[in-house]
Amino acid sequence: MAENKTGFSSSFGAIMAAAGSAIGLGNIWRFPYICGKYGGGAALILYIAFVFLIGMTLLLSELVIGRRSGHAAIQAYASLKPKRPQWRYVGVLGVVACVLILSTYMVVSGWTLNYFWESVSGALSSVEDGDYAAHFGAFASSVTAPVACLIVFAVLTLVVVLGGVQSGIEKASKILMPVLLVLVLLLCVRSLTLPGASKGLYYLFHPDFSLLTWEGVLAILGQALFSLSVGMGVMVAYGSYLPKGDNLFRSAMWITGCDTAIAVLAGVAIFPAVFACGQSPEGGPGLVFNVLPVVFNSLGSVGSVVFGGAFFLLLAVAALTSAISLLEGIAAGFSESLHTDHKRTAVVVTVGLMVLGVLIALSFEGGVLSGIRLADMTIFDWFDKLSGAYLPSICALLTILFFGWFMKKDDIEDELSNHGTVRTPWFKVFYYFLVRFVAPLALVVSLVAGIWGE
Ligand code: PHE
């Protein structure tokens, strides 16, 4: 049963922190592109169904496991099933997934800091011949700038985590999340008022079911899980910090709702401007570092400073609150199971991640370490592949099986209803069915299909 430890001070702070984890690079550079590519409105409807029915089911189960046990990932599962300590390996898997993701995430987030600086200093608008692909290639394959940016980003993340749950993570999230909302709204207004913006809205929202392929369905499901930060034990750690009186279902709805709203707004901020400027849609680093600078450049010198700066700040803020949750998930997981000091553990983990990060950054295409290859893939490619691959799905599947088939139903209901004080009529009607059958089946299908498709 949960022991007392310092947690979030209010429901609002807790929701901001968890939404901060969920809202990350994925919302901005992947979600809108996936939507457009796989059928606009058709993909959006499916995404909403997946994120609320499957993603939120997983989110809620992680929050319950965390709050009920009072522990972060590695200890949580085993402490709820003391006779079967091997369940701790589910938490270990989650922490390994966090390490893989965060080391790559920090490198890319560092790039966004560099681009923020280049936007506000005006350097980005004076790139030779407007050849942004070459500019990005030269930057990402150099040594000093990417490594320096990685270190700055890692230190920022660490400083917040060292501040503690209330004065670090909660406080930072309560400031950064409203900033993020203002930035995305500002960009939406600019994008929507450009001549020709409607083509972008058509791309994003016009439902075309013929584009919704099987591959698209899998990509949409994967995005729904990644976007809610589930399958890595991060939400278990945050669950253990949730106030006891919080209505977990309501918090999970808020987190999922905020995450989805920002993803849709990011699409509205990006694609109308991309189409208005005659560029073709893309996703990932190609969109952010090659296509969007062309769009910002077309807005004139002040426009490119203001809107380019706002966009890269938006990315950096979204990345920072996600990175904070990943670092906290790792540090809390390790410090609890190894009985080490939380802050010292966070420092050691960050140093380790920086070393990994430097190896990853320098092995990007054309970089000094890009010659080191295994099976024709660089270190960067390997980390990118592994972090996006099966680990989170396996961890999510084991979590939902643990929750649905191994935890006592009464205990779950007790936690969700705050010992009977909150009504939970939905629990028996559909939630338990989703937990036991629908979510595991969806995860098995996506895992099998993913492995099959390799
Ligand atoms: N949800 C974040 C995003 O959309 C990524 C993330 C995954 C953050 C797992 C924390 C844990 O970018």
CSV table of all heavy atoms in Angstrom, one decimal, residues 308-341:
chain,number,residue,atom,x,y,z
A,308,GLY,N,9.2,32.1,-36.5
A,308,GLY,CA,10.2,31.1,-36.4
A,308,GLY,C,10.7,30.9,-34.9
A,308,GLY,O,10.7,29.8,-34.4
A,309,GLY,N,10.9,32.0,-34.3
A,309,GLY,CA,11.3,31.9,-32.8
A,309,GLY,C,10.2,31.3,-32.0
A,309,GLY,O,10.5,30.4,-31.2
A,310,ALA,N,8.9,31.7,-32.2
A,310,ALA,CA,7.8,31.1,-31.5
A,310,ALA,C,7.7,29.6,-31.7
A,310,ALA,O,7.5,28.8,-30.8
A,310,ALA,CB,6.5,31.8,-31.9
A,311,PHE,N,7.9,29.2,-33.0
A,311,PHE,CA,7.8,27.8,-33.3
A,311,PHE,C,8.8,26.9,-32.6
A,311,PHE,O,8.6,25.9,-32.0
A,311,PHE,CB,7.8,27.5,-34.8
A,311,PHE,CG,7.7,26.1,-35.1
A,311,PHE,CD1,6.5,25.4,-35.0
A,311,PHE,CD2,8.8,25.4,-35.5
A,311,PHE,CE1,6.4,24.1,-35.3
A,311,PHE,CE2,8.7,24.0,-35.7
A,311,PHE,CZ,7.5,23.4,-35.6
A,312,PHE,N,10.1,27.4,-32.7
A,312,PHE,CA,11.2,26.6,-32.1
A,312,PHE,C,11.1,26.6,-30.6
A,312,PHE,O,11.5,25.6,-30.0
A,312,PHE,CB,12.5,26.9,-32.7
A,312,PHE,CG,12.7,26.5,-34.1
A,312,PHE,CD1,12.6,27.3,-35.2
A,312,PHE,CD2,12.7,25.1,-34.4
A,312,PHE,CE1,12.7,26.9,-36.5
A,312,PHE,CE2,12.8,24.6,-35.7
A,312,PHE,CZ,12.8,25.5,-36.8
A,313,LEU,N,10.6,27.7,-30.1
A,313,LEU,CA,10.4,27.7,-28.6
A,313,LEU,C,9.3,26.7,-28.2
A,313,LEU,O,9.5,26.0,-27.2
A,313,LEU,CB,10.1,29.2,-28.2
A,313,LEU,CG,10.0,29.4,-26.7
A,313,LEU,CD1,11.3,29.1,-26.0
A,313,LEU,CD2,9.6,30.8,-26.3
A,314,LEU,N,8.3,26.7,-29.0
A,314,LEU,CA,7.2,25.8,-28.8
A,314,LEU,C,7.7,24.3,-28.7
A,314,LEU,O,7.5,23.5,-27.8
A,314,LEU,CB,6.2,25.9,-29.9
A,314,LEU,CG,5.1,24.8,-30.0
A,314,LEU,CD1,4.1,25.0,-28.9
A,314,LEU,CD2,4.4,24.9,-31.3
A,315,LEU,N,8.5,24.0,-29.7
A,315,LEU,CA,9.1,22.7,-29.8
A,315,LEU,C,10.0,22.4,-28.6
A,315,LEU,O,9.9,21.3,-28.0
A,315,LEU,CB,10.0,22.5,-31.0
A,315,LEU,CG,9.5,22.1,-32.3
A,315,LEU,CD1,10.6,21.9,-33.3
A,315,LEU,CD2,8.7,20.7,-32.2
A,316,ALA,N,10.8,23.4,-28.2
A,316,ALA,CA,11.8,23.2,-27.1
A,316,ALA,C,11.0,23.0,-25.8
A,316,ALA,O,11.3,22.1,-25.0
A,316,ALA,CB,12.7,24.3,-27.0
A,317,VAL,N,9.9,23.8,-25.6
A,317,VAL,CA,9.1,23.7,-24.4
A,317,VAL,C,8.4,22.3,-24.3
A,317,VAL,O,8.5,21.6,-23.3
A,317,VAL,CB,8.1,24.8,-24.3
A,317,VAL,CG1,7.1,24.5,-23.2
A,317,VAL,CG2,8.8,26.1,-24.1
A,318,ALA,N,7.8,21.9,-25.4
A,318,ALA,CA,7.2,20.6,-25.5
A,318,ALA,C,8.2,19.5,-25.2
A,318,ALA,O,7.9,18.6,-24.4
A,318,ALA,CB,6.5,20.4,-26.8
A,319,ALA,N,9.4,19.6,-25.8
A,319,ALA,CA,10.4,18.6,-25.6
A,319,ALA,C,10.9,18.5,-24.1
A,319,ALA,O,11.1,17.5,-23.5
A,319,ALA,CB,11.5,18.8,-26.5
A,320,LEU,N,11.0,19.7,-23.6
A,320,LEU,CA,11.5,19.8,-22.2
A,320,LEU,C,10.6,19.1,-21.2
A,320,LEU,O,11.1,18.3,-20.4
A,320,LEU,CB,11.8,21.3,-21.8
A,320,LEU,CG,12.4,21.5,-20.4
A,320,LEU,CD1,13.8,20.9,-20.3
A,320,LEU,CD2,12.5,23.0,-20.1
A,321,THR,N,9.3,19.4,-21.2
A,321,THR,CA,8.4,18.8,-20.2
A,321,THR,C,8.3,17.3,-20.4
A,321,THR,O,8.1,16.6,-19.5
A,321,THR,CB,7.0,19.4,-20.3
A,321,THR,OG1,6.6,19.5,-21.6
A,321,THR,CG2,7.0,20.8,-19.6
A,322,SER,N,8.5,16.8,-21.7
A,322,SER,CA,8.5,15.4,-21.9
A,322,SER,C,9.8,14.8,-21.3
A,322,SER,O,9.8,13.7,-20.7
A,322,SER,CB,8.4,15.0,-23.4
A,322,SER,OG,7.2,15.4,-23.8
A,323,ALA,N,11.0,15.5,-21.6
A,323,ALA,CA,12.3,15.0,-21.2
A,323,ALA,C,12.3,14.9,-19.6
A,323,ALA,O,12.9,14.0,-19.0
A,323,ALA,CB,13.4,15.8,-21.7
A,324,ILE,N,11.7,15.9,-19.0
A,324,ILE,CA,11.7,15.9,-17.5
A,324,ILE,C,11.0,14.7,-17.0
A,324,ILE,O,11.5,14.0,-16.1
A,324,ILE,CB,10.9,17.2,-17.0
A,324,ILE,CG1,11.7,18.5,-17.3
A,324,ILE,CG2,10.5,17.1,-15.6
A,324,ILE,CD1,10.9,19.7,-17.2
A,325,SER,N,9.9,14.3,-17.6
A,325,SER,CA,9.1,13.1,-17.1
A,325,SER,C,10.0,11.8,-17.4
A,325,SER,O,9.9,10.9,-16.5
A,325,SER,CB,7.8,13.0,-17.8
A,325,SER,OG,7.9,12.6,-19.1
A,326,LEU,N,10.7,11.8,-18.5
A,326,LEU,CA,11.5,10.6,-18.8
A,326,LEU,C,12.6,10.5,-17.7
A,326,LEU,O,12.9,9.4,-17.2
A,326,LEU,CB,12.0,10.7,-20.2
A,326,LEU,CG,11.0,10.4,-21.3
A,326,LEU,CD1,11.5,10.9,-22.6
A,326,LEU,CD2,10.8,8.9,-21.4
A,327,LEU,N,13.3,11.6,-17.5
A,327,LEU,CA,14.4,11.6,-16.5
A,327,LEU,C,13.9,11.3,-15.1
A,327,LEU,O,14.5,10.5,-14.4
A,327,LEU,CB,15.1,13.0,-16.5
A,327,LEU,CG,16.3,13.0,-15.5
A,327,LEU,CD1,17.4,12.0,-15.8
A,327,LEU,CD2,16.9,14.4,-15.6
A,328,GLU,N,12.7,11.8,-14.8
A,328,GLU,CA,12.1,11.5,-13.4
A,328,GLU,C,11.8,10.0,-13.4
A,328,GLU,O,12.0,9.4,-12.3
A,328,GLU,CB,10.9,12.4,-13.2
A,328,GLU,CG,10.2,12.1,-11.9
A,328,GLU,CD,11.0,12.4,-10.7
A,328,GLU,OE1,11.9,13.3,-10.7
A,328,GLU,OE2,10.7,11.9,-9.6
A,329,GLY,N,11.2,9.5,-14.4
A,329,GLY,CA,10.8,8.1,-14.5
A,329,GLY,C,12.1,7.2,-14.2
A,329,GLY,O,12.0,6.2,-13.5
A,330,ILE,N,13.2,7.5,-14.9
A,330,ILE,CA,14.4,6.7,-14.8
A,330,ILE,C,15.0,6.9,-13.4
A,330,ILE,O,15.3,5.9,-12.7
A,330,ILE,CB,15.5,7.1,-15.8
A,330,ILE,CG1,14.9,7.0,-17.2
A,330,ILE,CG2,16.7,6.3,-15.7
A,330,ILE,CD1,15.8,7.7,-18.3
A,331,ALA,N,15.1,8.2,-12.9
A,331,ALA,CA,15.8,8.4,-11.6
A,331,ALA,C,15.0,7.9,-10.5
A,331,ALA,O,15.5,7.2,-9.6
A,331,ALA,CB,16.0,9.9,-11.5
A,332,ALA,N,13.6,8.0,-10.5
A,332,ALA,CA,12.8,7.5,-9.4
A,332,ALA,C,12.9,6.0,-9.5
A,332,ALA,O,13.0,5.3,-8.4
A,332,ALA,CB,11.4,8.0,-9.6
A,333,GLY,N,12.8,5.4,-10.7
A,333,GLY,CA,12.9,3.9,-10.8
A,333,GLY,C,14.2,3.4,-10.1
A,333,GLY,O,14.1,2.5,-9.3
A,334,PHE,N,15.3,3.9,-10.5
A,334,PHE,CA,16.6,3.5,-10.0
A,334,PHE,C,16.7,3.7,-8.5
A,334,PHE,O,17.2,2.9,-7.8
A,334,PHE,CB,17.7,4.1,-10.8
A,334,PHE,CG,18.1,3.5,-12.1
A,334,PHE,CD1,18.4,4.2,-13.2
A,334,PHE,CD2,18.0,2.1,-12.2
A,334,PHE,CE1,18.7,3.6,-14.4
A,334,PHE,CE2,18.3,1.5,-13.4
A,334,PHE,CZ,18.7,2.2,-14.5
A,335,SER,N,16.4,5.0,-8.1
A,335,SER,CA,16.8,5.4,-6.8
A,335,SER,C,15.9,4.5,-5.8
A,335,SER,O,16.4,4.1,-4.7
A,335,SER,CB,16.6,6.9,-6.5
A,335,SER,OG,15.3,7.2,-6.7
A,336,GLU,N,14.7,4.2,-6.2
A,336,GLU,CA,13.8,3.4,-5.3
A,336,GLU,C,14.3,2.0,-5.2
A,336,GLU,O,14.4,1.4,-4.1
A,336,GLU,CB,12.4,3.4,-5.8
A,336,GLU,CG,11.5,4.5,-5.3
A,336,GLU,CD,10.1,4.3,-5.7
A,336,GLU,OE1,9.7,3.1,-6.1
A,336,GLU,OE2,9.4,5.3,-5.8
A,337,SER,N,14.7,1.4,-6.3
A,337,SER,CA,15.1,0.0,-6.2
A,337,SER,C,16.5,-0.2,-5.8
A,337,SER,O,16.8,-1.2,-5.2
A,337,SER,CB,14.8,-0.7,-7.6
A,337,SER,OG,15.5,0.0,-8.6
A,338,LEU,N,17.4,0.8,-6.0
A,338,LEU,CA,18.8,0.6,-5.5
A,338,LEU,C,19.0,1.3,-4.1
A,338,LEU,O,20.1,1.3,-3.6
A,338,LEU,CB,19.8,1.2,-6.5
A,338,LEU,CG,19.7,0.7,-8.0
A,338,LEU,CD1,20.6,1.4,-8.9
A,338,LEU,CD2,20.0,-0.8,-8.0
A,339,HIS,N,17.9,2.0,-3.6
A,339,HIS,CA,18.0,2.7,-2.4
A,339,HIS,C,19.1,3.8,-2.4
A,339,HIS,O,19.9,3.9,-1.4
A,339,HIS,CB,18.2,1.7,-1.2
A,339,HIS,CG,17.2,0.7,-1.1
A,339,HIS,ND1,15.9,0.9,-0.7
A,339,HIS,CD2,17.2,-0.6,-1.4
A,339,HIS,CE1,15.2,-0.2,-0.8
A,339,HIS,NE2,16.0,-1.1,-1.2
A,340,THR,N,19.1,4.5,-3.5
A,340,THR,CA,20.1,5.6,-3.6
A,340,THR,C,19.4,6.9,-3.5
A,340,THR,O,18.1,7.0,-3.6
A,340,THR,CB,20.9,5.5,-4.9
A,340,THR,OG1,19.9,5.4,-6.0
A,340,THR,CG2,21.8,4.4,-5.0
A,341,ASP,N,20.1,8.0,-3.3
A,341,ASP,CA,19.5,9.3,-3.2
A,341,ASP,C,19.0,9.7,-4.5
A,341,ASP,O,19.6,9.6,-5.5
A,341,ASP,CB,20.6,10.3,-2.7
A,341,ASP,CG,20.1,11.7,-2.7
A,341,ASP,OD1,19.2,11.9,-1.9
A,341,ASP,OD2,20.6,12.5,-3.4
